[in-house]
Amino acid sequence: MMLHPCLIARIYRKNPQHEIVLSWTTRHEGENHRVYVDTESRNGNASDYAREVATFADGQFDYRPADEQWGQPAWYHHVYLSDLEPDTTYYVAFASGDDLSDEFHFRTAPADDKDFALIFGGDSRIGGSDP
């Protein structure tokens, strides 16, 4: 079955050239949550990725009732990736049990003063027609 993660987040930490936390949300608790990682696209074929990394934290949380798409509850999953190369594109697929997501990618920060673009976003989760 296809895994459809929601709220995928890339969290760059103190060393964005070499480490990142990837977070995602699922509708079901599932088990054996992990990420497949490579520097080449593997088109979501789990056995072809260079690395498999298990989550360091998983847990349940509740969406507000206004979030009708998912309802309640939902689960979060966090994976820590280290030993990454600077200025490199990494391809990842998220997995829960036998379910695997489509492939996504991210790029690590450059090691030098090379220009780069960064988009930052947030969600206060107050939503609704009258926030």
Side-chain angles (χ1 to χ4, degrees), residues 27-28 50 57 65 74 77 95-96 101 121-122 131:
R27 294 182 189 198
H28 306 287
H77 314 286
S96 292
S101 74

Side-chain angles (χ1 to χ4, degrees), residues 2-75:
M2 175 64 75
L3 176 67
H4 298 284
C6 185
L7 303 175
I8 298 171
R10 297 176 303 255
I11 304 165
Y12 294 97
R13 299 171 55 110
K14 294 178 182 179
N15 190 354
Q17 298 92 350
H18 299 287
E19 64 182 15
I20 191 170
V21 172
L22 299 178
S23 299
W24 72 100
T25 303
T26 57
R27 294 182 189 198
H28 306 287
E29 182 177 16
E31 61 185 15
N32 190 24
H33 306 287
R34 62 211 178 278
V35 170
Y36 293 99
V37 184
D38 208 324
T39 55
E40 295 183 35
S41 174
R42 302 301 180 179
N43 297 311
N45 187 352
S47 62
D48 290 344
Y49 286 87
R51 293 170 60 186
E52 178 182 338
V53 181
T55 55
F56 69 85
D58 302 287
Q60 182 179 345
F61 70 100
D62 291 331
Y63 273 116
R64 292 170 38 103
D67 294 328
E68 295 175 16
Q69 175 187 359
W70 277 37
Q72 299 174 344
W75 284 263

